[in-house]
Short mmCIF file of all heavy atoms in Angstrom, two decimals:
data_model
loop_
_atom_site.label_atom_id
_atom_site.label_comp_id
_atom_site.label_asym_id
_atom_site.label_seq_id
_atom_site.Cartn_x
_atom_site.Cartn_y
_atom_site.Cartn_z
N GLY A 50 -43.87 16.65 22.14
CA GLY A 50 -43.91 16.41 20.65
C GLY A 50 -42.81 15.70 20.12
O GLY A 50 -42.22 14.78 20.73
N ASP A 51 -42.35 16.20 19.08
CA ASP A 51 -41.23 15.61 18.31
C ASP A 51 -39.91 16.22 18.46
O ASP A 51 -38.84 15.80 17.91
CB ASP A 51 -41.58 15.52 16.86
CG ASP A 51 -42.80 14.69 16.56
OD1 ASP A 51 -43.10 13.80 17.31
OD2 ASP A 51 -43.43 14.98 15.53
N THR A 52 -39.83 17.22 19.37
CA THR A 52 -38.58 18.11 19.49
C THR A 52 -38.32 18.21 21.03
O THR A 52 -39.23 18.58 21.85
CB THR A 52 -38.66 19.39 18.82
OG1 THR A 52 -38.93 19.20 17.43
CG2 THR A 52 -37.24 20.13 18.95
N LEU A 53 -37.08 18.00 21.40
CA LEU A 53 -36.63 18.13 22.84
C LEU A 53 -35.49 19.01 22.79
O LEU A 53 -34.47 18.76 21.92
CB LEU A 53 -36.35 16.85 23.58
CG LEU A 53 -36.09 16.91 25.06
CD1 LEU A 53 -37.42 17.11 25.79
CD2 LEU A 53 -35.50 15.58 25.47
N VAL A 54 -35.36 19.99 23.66
CA VAL A 54 -34.09 20.80 23.90
C VAL A 54 -33.36 20.52 24.99
O VAL A 54 -33.94 20.45 26.11
CB VAL A 54 -34.50 22.37 23.84
CG1 VAL A 54 -33.24 23.30 23.90
CG2 VAL A 54 -35.25 22.75 22.67
N VAL A 55 -31.92 20.32 24.83
CA VAL A 55 -31.00 20.03 25.95
C VAL A 55 -30.14 21.29 26.22
O VAL A 55 -29.61 21.73 25.18
CB VAL A 55 -30.28 18.78 25.71
CG1 VAL A 55 -29.25 18.53 26.70
CG2 VAL A 55 -31.12 17.59 25.56
N GLN A 56 -30.21 21.71 27.46
CA GLN A 56 -29.34 22.97 27.72
C GLN A 56 -28.26 22.39 28.65
O GLN A 56 -28.44 21.83 29.65
CB GLN A 56 -30.23 24.03 28.49
CG GLN A 56 -29.31 25.14 28.82
CD GLN A 56 -30.03 26.32 29.63
OE1 GLN A 56 -31.21 26.01 30.18
NE2 GLN A 56 -29.61 27.48 29.51
N ASN A 57 -27.01 22.64 28.17
CA ASN A 57 -25.74 22.30 28.91
C ASN A 57 -25.04 23.62 29.08
O ASN A 57 -24.38 24.11 28.10
CB ASN A 57 -24.97 21.30 28.14
CG ASN A 57 -23.66 20.80 28.96
OD1 ASN A 57 -23.53 21.38 30.09
ND2 ASN A 57 -22.97 19.94 28.35
N GLY A 58 -25.17 24.27 30.22
CA GLY A 58 -24.46 25.60 30.38
C GLY A 58 -25.24 26.61 29.56
O GLY A 58 -26.53 26.66 29.58
N LYS A 59 -24.57 27.24 28.65
CA LYS A 59 -25.29 28.16 27.74
C LYS A 59 -25.56 27.56 26.42
O LYS A 59 -26.13 28.28 25.61
CB LYS A 59 -24.25 29.44 27.53
CG LYS A 59 -24.06 30.21 28.88
CD LYS A 59 -23.08 31.43 28.51
CE LYS A 59 -22.98 32.29 29.81
NZ LYS A 59 -22.08 33.44 29.59
N GLN A 60 -25.18 26.37 26.21
CA GLN A 60 -25.38 25.76 24.95
C GLN A 60 -26.72 25.10 24.83
O GLN A 60 -27.05 24.25 25.76
CB GLN A 60 -24.28 24.70 24.60
CG GLN A 60 -24.46 24.04 23.26
CD GLN A 60 -23.40 23.04 22.98
OE1 GLN A 60 -22.31 22.99 23.66
NE2 GLN A 60 -23.45 22.30 21.95
N LEU A 61 -27.48 25.42 23.94
CA LEU A 61 -28.84 24.67 23.64
C LEU A 61 -28.80 23.87 22.45
O LEU A 61 -28.25 24.25 21.33
CB LEU A 61 -29.94 25.76 23.46
CG LEU A 61 -30.26 26.76 24.54
CD1 LEU A 61 -31.25 27.68 24.20
CD2 LEU A 61 -30.58 25.98 25.83
N THR A 62 -29.15 22.52 22.60
CA THR A 62 -29.22 21.63 21.34
C THR A 62 -30.58 21.10 21.27
O THR A 62 -31.13 20.53 22.20
CB THR A 62 -28.12 20.50 21.63
OG1 THR A 62 -26.91 21.02 21.92
CG2 THR A 62 -28.07 19.59 20.33
N ALA A 63 -31.06 21.10 20.05
CA ALA A 63 -32.33 20.44 19.79
C ALA A 63 -32.31 19.12 19.17
O ALA A 63 -31.45 18.85 18.39
CB ALA A 63 -33.20 21.37 18.81
N PHE A 64 -33.02 18.21 19.76
CA PHE A 64 -33.08 16.76 19.31
C PHE A 64 -34.44 16.37 18.96
O PHE A 64 -35.44 16.84 19.40
CB PHE A 64 -32.69 15.76 20.40
CG PHE A 64 -31.19 16.01 20.89
CD1 PHE A 64 -30.87 16.84 21.91
CD2 PHE A 64 -30.27 15.30 20.26
CE1 PHE A 64 -29.59 17.07 22.38
CE2 PHE A 64 -28.96 15.53 20.70
CZ PHE A 64 -28.61 16.33 21.68
N THR A 65 -34.55 15.56 17.75
CA THR A 65 -35.85 15.22 17.29
C THR A 65 -36.18 13.70 17.66
O THR A 65 -35.18 12.95 17.80
CB THR A 65 -35.88 15.31 15.71
OG1 THR A 65 -34.86 14.51 15.19
CG2 THR A 65 -35.69 16.79 15.24
N GLY A 66 -37.40 13.51 17.95
CA GLY A 66 -37.87 12.12 18.21
C GLY A 66 -39.31 11.96 17.60
O GLY A 66 -39.54 12.64 16.48
N HIS A 67 -40.18 11.13 18.21
CA HIS A 67 -41.53 10.97 17.55
C HIS A 67 -42.44 10.78 18.71
O HIS A 67 -42.21 9.80 19.61
CB HIS A 67 -41.52 9.80 16.66
CG HIS A 67 -42.87 9.56 16.12
ND1 HIS A 67 -43.46 10.37 15.28
CD2 HIS A 67 -43.71 8.42 16.40
CE1 HIS A 67 -44.75 9.85 14.95
NE2 HIS A 67 -44.87 8.66 15.70
N ASP A 68 -43.36 11.65 18.95
CA ASP A 68 -44.38 11.48 20.00
C ASP A 68 -43.93 11.23 21.38
O ASP A 68 -44.44 10.41 21.96
CB ASP A 68 -45.37 10.46 19.53
CG ASP A 68 -46.70 10.49 20.24
OD1 ASP A 68 -47.02 11.53 20.87
OD2 ASP A 68 -47.36 9.44 20.36
N GLY A 69 -42.91 12.05 21.68
CA GLY A 69 -42.33 11.95 23.04
C GLY A 69 -41.34 10.78 23.20
O GLY A 69 -40.78 10.60 24.35
N VAL A 70 -40.92 10.00 22.18
CA VAL A 70 -39.97 9.06 22.25
C VAL A 70 -38.63 9.51 21.65
O VAL A 70 -38.60 9.93 20.47
CB VAL A 70 -40.36 7.76 21.61
CG1 VAL A 70 -39.25 6.71 21.57
CG2 VAL A 70 -41.68 7.23 22.31
N PHE A 71 -37.55 9.47 22.46
CA PHE A 71 -36.28 10.06 22.01
C PHE A 71 -35.16 8.95 22.35
O PHE A 71 -35.14 8.24 23.26
CB PHE A 71 -35.95 11.24 22.52
CG PHE A 71 -36.98 12.51 22.29
CD1 PHE A 71 -38.09 12.55 23.11
CD2 PHE A 71 -36.65 13.29 21.27
CE1 PHE A 71 -38.95 13.44 22.86
CE2 PHE A 71 -37.54 14.35 21.02
CZ PHE A 71 -38.69 14.45 21.81
N ASP A 72 -34.20 9.01 21.40
CA ASP A 72 -33.04 8.18 21.63
C ASP A 72 -31.70 9.06 21.12
O ASP A 72 -31.57 9.23 19.93
CB ASP A 72 -32.97 6.90 20.89
CG ASP A 72 -31.91 5.87 21.17
OD1 ASP A 72 -31.01 6.33 21.76
OD2 ASP A 72 -32.10 4.74 20.87
N ILE A 73 -31.08 9.66 22.13
CA ILE A 73 -30.10 10.78 21.73
C ILE A 73 -28.77 10.51 22.44
O ILE A 73 -28.80 9.80 23.51
CB ILE A 73 -30.73 12.13 21.97
CG1 ILE A 73 -30.97 12.27 23.54
CG2 ILE A 73 -31.99 12.33 21.28
CD1 ILE A 73 -31.40 13.58 24.00
N MET A 74 -27.78 11.09 21.94
CA MET A 74 -26.48 11.18 22.56
C MET A 74 -26.13 12.65 22.94
O MET A 74 -26.15 13.58 22.07
CB MET A 74 -25.34 10.72 21.64
CG MET A 74 -25.60 9.11 21.15
SD MET A 74 -25.52 8.03 22.42
CE MET A 74 -23.74 7.95 22.74
N VAL A 75 -25.95 12.98 24.26
CA VAL A 75 -25.69 14.25 24.67
C VAL A 75 -24.10 14.33 24.94
O VAL A 75 -23.57 13.82 25.80
CB VAL A 75 -26.43 14.60 25.97
CG1 VAL A 75 -26.15 15.99 26.42
CG2 VAL A 75 -27.94 14.33 25.77
N PRO A 76 -23.53 15.24 24.04
CA PRO A 76 -21.99 15.33 24.20
C PRO A 76 -21.65 15.99 25.62
O PRO A 76 -22.23 16.85 26.05
CB PRO A 76 -21.61 16.31 23.18
CG PRO A 76 -22.75 16.24 22.12
CD PRO A 76 -23.98 16.00 22.96
N LEU A 77 -20.63 15.35 26.21
CA LEU A 77 -20.10 15.88 27.53
C LEU A 77 -18.64 15.80 27.60
O LEU A 77 -17.96 15.18 26.81
CB LEU A 77 -20.77 15.03 28.64
CG LEU A 77 -22.25 14.83 28.81
CD1 LEU A 77 -22.52 13.83 29.91
CD2 LEU A 77 -22.80 16.16 29.31
N THR A 78 -18.16 16.82 28.48
CA THR A 78 -16.64 16.65 28.94
C THR A 78 -16.42 16.30 30.17
O THR A 78 -15.31 15.86 30.61
CB THR A 78 -15.97 18.04 28.37
OG1 THR A 78 -16.66 19.07 29.12
CG2 THR A 78 -16.12 18.37 26.99
N GLU A 79 -17.47 16.54 31.02
CA GLU A 79 -17.39 16.30 32.42
C GLU A 79 -18.78 16.10 33.02
O GLU A 79 -19.75 16.38 32.42
CB GLU A 79 -16.65 17.46 33.20
CG GLU A 79 -17.35 18.70 33.18
CD GLU A 79 -16.65 19.73 33.88
OE1 GLU A 79 -15.69 19.53 34.58
OE2 GLU A 79 -17.07 20.95 33.81
N PRO A 80 -18.84 15.52 34.28
CA PRO A 80 -20.35 15.43 34.83
C PRO A 80 -20.78 16.80 35.12
O PRO A 80 -20.20 17.78 35.61
CB PRO A 80 -20.04 14.67 36.15
CG PRO A 80 -18.65 14.08 36.00
CD PRO A 80 -17.95 14.90 35.15
N VAL A 81 -22.03 17.10 34.60
CA VAL A 81 -22.78 18.35 34.78
C VAL A 81 -24.26 18.08 34.96
O VAL A 81 -24.74 16.90 34.88
CB VAL A 81 -22.70 19.21 33.52
CG1 VAL A 81 -21.10 19.70 33.39
CG2 VAL A 81 -23.10 18.55 32.28
N TYR A 82 -24.94 19.14 35.34
CA TYR A 82 -26.44 19.08 35.39
C TYR A 82 -26.87 19.61 34.01
O TYR A 82 -26.54 20.69 33.74
CB TYR A 82 -27.02 19.80 36.53
CG TYR A 82 -26.74 19.10 37.84
CD1 TYR A 82 -25.66 19.46 38.64
CD2 TYR A 82 -27.60 18.11 38.32
CE1 TYR A 82 -25.46 18.79 39.81
CE2 TYR A 82 -27.33 17.51 39.43
CZ TYR A 82 -26.26 17.91 40.25
OH TYR A 82 -25.95 17.01 41.39
N ILE A 83 -27.87 18.98 33.39
CA ILE A 83 -28.40 19.45 32.11
C ILE A 83 -29.96 19.64 32.31
O ILE A 83 -30.53 19.00 33.09
CB ILE A 83 -28.08 18.49 30.94
CG1 ILE A 83 -28.69 17.14 31.19
CG2 ILE A 83 -26.61 18.56 30.67
CD1 ILE A 83 -28.62 16.20 30.01
N THR A 84 -30.43 20.51 31.47
CA THR A 84 -31.90 20.76 31.50
C THR A 84 -32.55 20.21 30.20
O THR A 84 -32.02 20.39 29.12
CB THR A 84 -32.19 22.29 31.59
OG1 THR A 84 -31.55 22.82 32.75
CG2 THR A 84 -33.72 22.57 31.60
N LEU A 85 -33.58 19.43 30.43
CA LEU A 85 -34.40 19.00 29.37
C LEU A 85 -35.72 19.62 29.28
O LEU A 85 -36.36 19.79 30.34
CB LEU A 85 -34.62 17.39 29.49
CG LEU A 85 -33.30 16.51 29.87
CD1 LEU A 85 -33.84 15.09 30.00
CD2 LEU A 85 -32.43 16.64 28.72
N ALA A 86 -36.05 20.21 28.13
CA ALA A 86 -37.23 21.13 28.03
C ALA A 86 -37.83 21.16 26.67
O ALA A 86 -37.22 20.71 25.70
CB ALA A 86 -36.84 22.54 28.47
N THR A 87 -39.10 21.46 26.61
CA THR A 87 -39.74 21.66 25.39
C THR A 87 -39.26 22.97 24.73
O THR A 87 -38.88 23.84 25.41
CB THR A 87 -41.22 21.71 25.50
OG1 THR A 87 -41.64 22.88 26.34
CG2 THR A 87 -41.83 20.50 26.15
N PRO A 88 -39.23 23.10 23.33
CA PRO A 88 -38.90 24.31 22.69
C PRO A 88 -39.69 25.52 23.17
O PRO A 88 -39.14 26.60 23.37
CB PRO A 88 -39.12 24.00 21.20
CG PRO A 88 -39.11 22.59 21.12
CD PRO A 88 -39.51 21.99 22.41
N ALA A 89 -40.97 25.32 23.45
CA ALA A 89 -41.85 26.37 23.96
C ALA A 89 -41.37 26.93 25.33
O ALA A 89 -41.62 28.18 25.66
CB ALA A 89 -43.33 25.94 24.00
N THR A 90 -40.77 26.04 26.11
CA THR A 90 -40.29 26.61 27.37
C THR A 90 -39.18 27.67 27.24
O THR A 90 -39.16 28.72 27.86
CB THR A 90 -39.66 25.36 28.23
OG1 THR A 90 -40.66 24.44 28.49
CG2 THR A 90 -38.99 25.85 29.38
N PHE A 91 -38.34 27.42 26.21
CA PHE A 91 -37.24 28.44 25.96
C PHE A 91 -37.72 29.70 25.22
O PHE A 91 -37.13 30.66 25.23
CB PHE A 91 -36.04 27.79 25.22
CG PHE A 91 -35.22 26.85 26.10
CD1 PHE A 91 -35.45 25.52 26.00
CD2 PHE A 91 -34.35 27.39 26.91
CE1 PHE A 91 -34.74 24.61 26.69
CE2 PHE A 91 -33.60 26.41 27.80
CZ PHE A 91 -33.83 25.09 27.64
N ARG A 92 -38.94 29.53 24.79
CA ARG A 92 -39.57 30.80 24.12
C ARG A 92 -40.41 31.55 25.19
O ARG A 92 -40.99 32.60 24.84
CB ARG A 92 -40.53 30.37 22.96
CG ARG A 92 -39.76 29.75 21.77
CD ARG A 92 -40.58 29.73 20.44
NE ARG A 92 -41.80 28.95 20.67
CZ ARG A 92 -41.93 27.60 20.37
NH1 ARG A 92 -40.89 27.01 19.77
NH2 ARG A 92 -43.04 26.94 20.61
N GLY A 93 -40.46 30.94 26.35
CA GLY A 93 -41.23 31.64 27.53
C GLY A 93 -42.78 31.43 27.34
O GLY A 93 -43.59 32.07 28.08
N GLU A 94 -43.22 30.42 26.56
CA GLU A 94 -44.52 30.12 26.38
C GLU A 94 -45.17 29.09 27.37
O GLU A 94 -46.31 29.10 27.55
CB GLU A 94 -44.83 29.72 24.97
CG GLU A 94 -44.36 30.78 23.87
CD GLU A 94 -44.40 30.23 22.50
OE1 GLU A 94 -44.74 28.99 22.33
OE2 GLU A 94 -44.15 30.94 21.59
N GLU A 95 -44.27 28.34 28.07
CA GLU A 95 -44.71 27.45 29.04
C GLU A 95 -43.51 26.98 29.89
O GLU A 95 -42.46 27.49 29.69
CB GLU A 95 -45.27 26.09 28.23
CG GLU A 95 -44.20 25.35 27.46
CD GLU A 95 -44.86 24.15 26.78
OE1 GLU A 95 -46.09 24.09 26.73
OE2 GLU A 95 -44.07 23.30 26.23
N GLN A 96 -43.83 26.14 30.95
CA GLN A 96 -42.73 25.71 31.82
C GLN A 96 -42.78 24.26 31.87
O GLN A 96 -43.32 23.64 32.84
CB GLN A 96 -42.91 26.41 33.17
CG GLN A 96 -42.71 27.88 33.20
CD GLN A 96 -42.79 28.56 34.52
OE1 GLN A 96 -43.25 27.92 35.54
NE2 GLN A 96 -42.40 29.69 34.73
N GLN A 97 -42.19 23.57 30.96
CA GLN A 97 -41.99 22.13 30.84
C GLN A 97 -40.58 21.84 30.78
O GLN A 97 -40.01 21.64 29.68
CB GLN A 97 -42.78 21.61 29.66
CG GLN A 97 -44.28 21.98 29.58
CD GLN A 97 -45.13 21.22 30.54
OE1 GLN A 97 -44.63 20.57 31.47
NE2 GLN A 97 -46.46 21.21 30.39
N ALA A 98 -39.95 21.67 31.96
CA ALA A 98 -38.53 21.36 32.03
C ALA A 98 -38.11 20.68 33.29
O ALA A 98 -38.83 20.76 34.26
CB ALA A 98 -37.81 22.70 31.94
N PHE A 99 -37.00 19.84 33.27
CA PHE A 99 -36.59 19.22 34.41
C PHE A 99 -35.02 19.09 34.21
O PHE A 99 -34.46 18.99 33.18
CB PHE A 99 -37.24 17.94 34.73
CG PHE A 99 -37.03 16.82 33.65
CD1 PHE A 99 -36.13 15.79 33.94
CD2 PHE A 99 -37.82 16.72 32.55
CE1 PHE A 99 -35.93 14.75 32.93
CE2 PHE A 99 -37.60 15.83 31.59
CZ PHE A 99 -36.70 14.80 31.86
N VAL A 100 -34.41 18.94 35.37
CA VAL A 100 -32.89 19.00 35.39
C VAL A 100 -32.48 17.54 35.86
O VAL A 100 -33.15 16.95 36.77
CB VAL A 100 -32.29 20.03 36.38
CG1 VAL A 100 -30.79 19.78 36.46
CG2 VAL A 100 -32.73 21.34 35.96
N ILE A 101 -31.41 17.06 35.21
CA ILE A 101 -30.86 15.75 35.55
C ILE A 101 -29.44 15.69 35.63
O ILE A 101 -28.65 16.66 34.99
CB ILE A 101 -31.31 14.67 34.52
CG1 ILE A 101 -30.61 14.72 33.25
CG2 ILE A 101 -32.77 14.47 34.48
CD1 ILE A 101 -30.78 13.60 32.35
N PRO A 102 -28.68 14.94 36.45
CA PRO A 102 -27.27 14.78 36.41
C PRO A 102 -26.86 14.04 35.06
O PRO A 102 -27.46 13.07 34.73
CB PRO A 102 -26.90 14.02 37.63
CG PRO A 102 -28.25 13.13 37.90
CD PRO A 102 -29.35 14.03 37.41
#
Side-chain angles (χ1 to χ4, degrees):
D51 298 335
T52 305
L53 188 76
V54 178
V55 176
Q56 181 178 22
N57 183 356
K59 295 182 179 180
Q60 182 178 353
L61 299 178
T62 307
F64 294 94
T65 57
H67 177 69
D68 196 23
V70 178
F71 298 85
D72 190 339
I73 63 179
M74 302 294 289
V75 181
L77 299 171
T78 56
E79 63 179 355
V81 293
Y82 290 96
I83 60 174
T84 300
L85 310 178
T87 61
T90 295
F91 289 100
R92 295 195 299 267
E94 298 169 1
E95 62 183 15
Q96 293 184 347
Q97 303 283 14
F99 64 102
V100 177
I101 67 167

